[in-house]
Amino acid sequence: VGVMKGVIVGIAPNVQIIDISHDVAPQNIASGAWMLASAYRYFPEQTVFVCVVDPGVGSSRSAIAIQAGNRFFVGPDNGLFSYVLAEQTVYAACVLSRSAFHLPQISSTFHGRDIFAPVGAYLARGVGISEVGMPVEPAALQRIDVGQLVRSDRGIDGRIVHIDRFGNLITSIPIALVPMLFSEMPVRMTFPTLNVDVSECRRFFAEGSDREPFIYGDSSGYVGVAVRNGNAAKALNAGFGTPVTLVIGSK
Amino acid sequence: VGVMKGVIVGIAPNVQIIDISHDVAPQNIASGAWMLASAYRYFPEQTVFVCVVDPGVGSSRSAIAIQAGNRFFVGPDNGLFSYVLAEQTVYAACVLSRSAFHLPQISSTFHGRDIFAPVGAYLARGVGISEVGMPVEPAALQRIDVGQLVRSDRGIDGRIVHIDRFGNLITSIPIALVPMLFSEMPVRMTFPTLNVDVSECRRFFAEGSDREPFIYGDSSGYVGVAVRNGNAAKALNAGFGTPVTLVIGSK
Amino acid sequence: VGVMKGVIVGIAPNVQIIDISHDVAPQNIASGAWMLASAYRYFPEQTVFVCVVDPGVGSSRSAIAIQAGNRFFVGPDNGLFSYVLAEQTVYAACVLSRSAFHLPQISSTFHGRDIFAPVGAYLARGVGISEVGMPVEPAALQRIDVGQLVRSDRGIDGRIVHIDRFGNLITSIPIALVPMLFSEMPVRMTFPTLNVDVSECRRFFAEGSDREPFIYGDSSGYVGVAVRNGNAAKALNAGFGTPVTLVIGSK
């Protein structure tokens, strides 16, 4: 990763370079997409995000740049930008076809260094997104399932989209959709495939006992399930993709 | 952590952001306090330290900012600044009550991003510490036991305040207190609760054999016990808080 | 490591500081040397590399600075710069004897903070390399075996010089020496001490099956052996230093 920064400062010497995370499980696109989703809004406008979770490097997947909202995203066209594409207005997208903005020699295994980093640096220097490649329809870009919600009789159906390093389970259900989460109204999270129900709600981790799993509002902006001083993923035997239903009221 | 930096550059675009360490054991305040203690003196004056070892986030613990010596410290009031408070003159301390300097939406689990990072960025931009909240008496701030020394007949009593990633045991006894450490005078470190004595002293790790535990001057400025190419914590079965006595002379 | 950056910004406030890697196995000089070799060319001219893989700290090994090509290197004289010395023109080298450019107090275990970081910062500020110490003959600097190649009847003899975090085996054989690697001509990598032959060649990781080890062009610029979605080092029982022969044609 340091090498990518070397490439960037060689092109754009005065740029601020910030690491979002290196904790993405190797080659896990869904996890990388989620981490980007939970972070990008906190960065200033005009930020260029150079993203490398790229198991398909060397295959036929395209390298792309996207202007979404007032920020730029550079990386592989493999679904990594699915949340961004779903949440932001896409002003432009292009395939990185202009080799003048790449390193002179392109390896087959490290496009982060050879293509994404230099293109990102040129964008940060003010080069227009239309200059770095050929336009592509945003609708044609790859997307992964970002856990779209379904409201049913039983409640809101979603799934686990992320497990953080403490083992907390983050669902695809935004806190903003459930204003009654910390009201008097009973709420419970069911895991239909696991035959488990979590009915305790806590505003703060510091509350209550250590053993009991509970529903909480994750700092990412989504509803989560945690065990204080424990690992909810292990305790409930839940994983990435596990379906959940948030049931509101005493049904 | 990248998200906190995104928040910071959004407020103070030209600031230098440096990570001290992400190796603090999760939620271990004593370990975080020690790492800050061993690092802060090496940073320039006017540095703002934004510190997040925050197991009590969401509970009633306060968020604070401190001006100590010529540096600023922002974080939870949970003892993380105990060494700083013990070692530096405190010119001002305040509780971060002015929400104008926070992010608009405050999560209950990530004050690092929502409160400490923006306040730290405003301080780095030159906002006065008295503007970000209400003054609080330094004496009223939380402190942990930072291993205060007791001189006894037998020598200097202290305890293990840190175990580094190599398993080296760092005591609360400053090297500066023991000028005879590498002289002709015999010195030994006793672990009264473990019935262990270490009597070998080495100036350099590269000296001597691989098996023998030895006393050395840790780069943090404190006396340590190590095993070359080994793990002293495991070899001696010692841990955080284990009492030690440094005996000088052949008593 | 954060402490070293604190020292640097105290001396050279406007410098860009970039981490190359903290993944070097503790105290492994050969691995550190290789990582530096695979990275330094991607950084701009005038970059100062401050390098700390320093198992001999406190022993009699010297602290040195080198101007090689148009870049500067500061660190221990223990072989860490062997690739740089082999690959670049050395314009100047010196032993860091002038304590005016060190921290006032030198610990015996952390020269990275106390000597290399401040000297690197002064070089970045424009201090001449001849000012920070006494000149030394480049030929007198320590070097490790960087896997020099031997062409034999059987092919090109080299060895494994690096194992990356995925378990891919990187050899000392530059891709540039083997233009026929992805041509019609049969090529195989033999591991004479292991009685193993790898004869499949792949341009991309995404090609082919998951089980079969294959030869590929590593992004470092050297020929490698990998197992897709697997660990080649474990699968072949190969390690650092294992001899290899690249046989070209159907001999």
Side-chain angles (χ1 to χ4, degrees):
Chain A
V1 161
V3 170
M4 291 175 55
K5 298 183 190 171
V7 169
I8 290 169
V9 297
I11 294 167
N14 298 315
V15 83
Q16 271 270 16
I17 305 175
I18 291 175
D19 294 331
I20 294 186
S21 174
H22 303 297
D23 290 342
V24 176
Q27 319 290 36
N28 188 332
I29 294 167
S31 174
W34 191 87
M35 272 199 198
L36 179 60
S38 69
Y40 76 88
R41 281 183 202 78
Y42 291 94
F43 284 77
E45 300 203 342
Q46 306 306 320
T47 296
V48 179
F49 294 84
V50 174
C51 307
V52 192
V53 179
D54 197 10
V57 63
S59 69
S60 58
R61 70 107 187 87
S62 300
I64 55 174
I66 299 167
Q67 182 179 2
N70 283 310
R71 300 184 184 87
F72 297 89
F73 300 85
V74 181
D77 182 24
N78 62 10
L80 198 50
F81 305 120
S82 299
Y83 290 91
V84 172
L85 292 168
E87 295 169 355
Q88 299 289 320
T89 307
V90 179
Y91 293 111
C94 71
V95 170
L96 304 180
S97 52
R98 297 223 20 224
S99 60
F101 296 103
H102 306 171
L103 291 197
Q105 296 191 346
I106 306 295
S107 70
S108 56
T109 53
F110 195 3
H111 288 181
R113 176 192 67 194
D114 301 336
I115 299 179
F116 309 151
V119 167
Y122 283 111
L123 292 176
R125 247 177 58 174
V127 167
I129 191 168
S130 63
E131 294 183 52
V132 298
M134 290 193 317
V136 62
E137 274 302 310
L141 298 176
Q142 298 297 312
R143 286 153 207 251
I144 57 169
D145 177 2
V146 294
Q148 230 167 356
L149 303 175
V150 178
R151 282 171 186 281
S152 71
D153 282 3
R154 294 159 45 245
I156 304 170
D157 292 335
R159 56 193 192 81
I160 302 301
V161 289
H162 183 66
I163 297 165
D164 73 15
R165 65 196 178 103
F166 302 109
N168 299 329
L169 299 161
I170 322 293
T171 75
S172 55
I173 304 169
I175 298 168
L177 276 192
V178 206
M180 64 292 284
L181 196 58
F182 298 109
S183 71
E184 296 294 293
M185 188 168 295
V187 165
R188 67 195 153 87
M189 183 79 77
T190 71
F191 293 77
T193 56
L194 307 174
N195 275 318
V196 173
D197 263 42
V198 175
S199 56
E200 196 180 336
C201 258
R202 288 195 203 163
R203 196 175 283 273
F204 305 122
F205 269 65
E207 289 174 6
S209 79
D210 274 12
R211 297 282 171 75
E212 210 63 39
F214 59 89
I215 303 169
Y216 75 105
D218 188 68
S219 62
S220 60
Y222 294 87
V223 178
V225 172
V227 174
R228 183 186 172 194
N229 296 328
N231 185 307
K234 283 189 184 150
L236 300 180
N237 199 23
F240 179 82
T242 299
V244 296
T245 302
L246 190 67
V247 183
I248 296 152
S250 50
K251 277 177 278 189
Chain B
V1 162
V3 170
M4 290 175 56
K5 298 184 191 172
V7 169
I8 290 169
V9 297
I11 294 167
N14 298 315
V15 85
Q16 272 269 15
I17 305 176
I18 291 174
D19 294 331
I20 294 187
S21 173
H22 303 298
D23 290 343
V24 176
Q27 319 288 36
N28 188 332
I29 293 167
S31 174
W34 190 87
M35 272 198 198
L36 178 61
S38 68
Y40 77 87
R41 282 183 201 79
Y42 291 94
F43 285 76
E45 301 203 343
Q46 306 305 321
T47 297
V48 178
F49 295 84
V50 174
C51 306
V52 192
V53 178
D54 198 11
V57 63
S59 68
S60 59
R61 70 107 187 89
S62 300
I64 55 173
I66 299 167
Q67 182 179 1
N70 282 310
R71 300 185 184 88
F72 296 89
F73 300 84
V74 181
D77 182 23
N78 62 10
L80 198 50
F81 304 121
S82 299
Y83 290 91
V84 172
L85 292 168
E87 295 169 354
Q88 300 288 321
T89 307
V90 180
Y91 294 111
C94 71
V95 170
L96 305 179
S97 51
R98 297 226 14 227
S99 60
F101 297 102
H102 306 172
L103 292 195
Q105 295 190 348
I106 305 294
S107 70
S108 56
T109 54
F110 195 3
H111 287 181
R113 178 192 64 196
D114 302 336
I115 299 178
F116 308 151
V119 167
Y122 283 111
L123 293 177
R125 248 176 58 174
V127 167
I129 191 168
S130 62
E131 295 183 52
V132 298
M134 290 192 317
V136 61
E137 274 301 310
L141 298 176
Q142 297 298 312
R143 286 154 208 250
I144 58 169
D145 178 1
V146 295
Q148 232 167 354
L149 304 174
V150 178
R151 282 171 185 280
S152 70
D153 282 3
R154 294 158 45 243
I156 304 170
D157 292 335
R159 55 193 193 81
I160 302 302
V161 287
H162 183 66
I163 296 166
D164 72 16
R165 63 195 179 104
F166 301 109
N168 299 329
L169 299 161
I170 323 294
T171 74
S172 54
I173 304 169
I175 298 169
L177 276 191
V178 205
M180 64 293 282
L181 196 59
F182 297 110
S183 70
E184 296 294 292
M185 190 168 292
V187 164
R188 68 197 152 86
M189 183 80 78
T190 71
F191 293 78
T193 56
L194 307 174
N195 274 317
V196 174
D197 263 42
V198 175
S199 56
E200 196 181 336
C201 258
R202 289 196 202 162
R203 194 175 285 270
F204 304 123
F205 269 65
E207 290 174 4
S209 79
D210 274 14
R211 298 283 171 73
E212 210 63 39
F214 58 91
I215 304 169
Y216 74 105
D218 188 69
S219 62
S220 59
Y222 294 86
V223 178
V225 172
V227 174
R228 183 185 171 194
N229 296 327
N231 185 307
K234 283 188 185 151
L236 301 180
N237 200 23
F240 179 82
T242 299
V244 295
T245 302
L246 189 67
V247 181
I248 295 153
S250 49
K251 279 176 279 192
Chain C
V1 162
V3 170
M4 290 175 56
K5 298 184 191 171
V7 169
I8 290 169
V9 297
I11 294 167
N14 298 315
V15 84
Q16 271 269 17
I17 303 175
I18 291 175
D19 293 331
I20 293 186
S21 172
H22 303 297
D23 289 343
V24 176
Q27 319 289 36
N28 188 331
I29 293 168
S31 174
W34 189 89
M35 273 199 196
L36 178 61
S38 68
Y40 78 88
R41 282 184 201 78
Y42 292 94
F43 284 76
E45 300 202 344
Q46 306 306 320
T47 297
V48 179
F49 295 84
V50 174
C51 307
V52 191
V53 179
D54 197 10
V57 62
S59 69
S60 59
R61 71 106 187 87
S62 300
I64 55 174
I66 299 168
Q67 182 180 1
N70 283 310
R71 300 184 184 87
F72 296 88
F73 300 84
V74 181
D77 182 24
N78 62 11
L80 198 50
F81 304 120
S82 298
Y83 290 91
V84 172
L85 292 169
E87 295 169 355
Q88 299 289 321
T89 307
V90 179
Y91 294 112
C94 70
V95 170
L96 305 179
S97 51
R98 297 225 16 224
S99 61
F101 297 103
H102 305 171
L103 292 195
Q105 296 190 347
I106 306 295
S107 70
S108 56
T109 53
F110 195 3
H111 287 179
R113 177 191 66 195
D114 301 337
I115 300 178
F116 309 151
V119 167
Y122 283 110
L123 292 177
R125 249 176 58 174
V127 167
I129 191 169
S130 62
E131 295 182 52
V132 298
M134 289 193 318
V136 62
E137 274 302 310
L141 299 175
Q142 297 297 312
R143 285 154 209 251
I144 59 169
D145 177 2
V146 294
Q148 231 167 355
L149 302 174
V150 178
R151 282 172 185 280
S152 70
D153 282 3
R154 294 159 46 242
I156 304 171
D157 293 335
R159 56 194 191 82
I160 302 303
V161 288
H162 183 65
I163 297 166
D164 73 15
R165 64 196 178 104
F166 301 109
N168 299 329
L169 298 161
I170 323 294
T171 75
S172 54
I173 304 170
I175 299 168
L177 275 191
V178 206
M180 64 293 281
L181 196 58
F182 298 109
S183 72
E184 296 294 294
M185 189 170 293
V187 165
R188 67 196 153 88
M189 184 79 78
T190 71
F191 293 77
T193 55
L194 306 174
N195 275 317
V196 173
D197 262 42
V198 175
S199 56
E200 196 181 336
C201 258
R202 289 194 202 163
R203 195 175 284 273
F204 304 123
F205 269 66
E207 289 174 5
S209 79
D210 274 14
R211 298 282 172 75
E212 210 63 40
F214 59 89
I215 303 170
Y216 75 105
D218 187 69
S219 62
S220 60
Y222 294 85
V223 178
V225 172
V227 174
R228 183 186 172 192
N229 296 327
N231 185 307
K234 284 189 185 150
L236 301 180
N237 200 23
F240 179 82
T242 299
V244 296
T245 302
L246 190 67
V247 182
I248 295 153
S250 50
K251 278 176 279 191

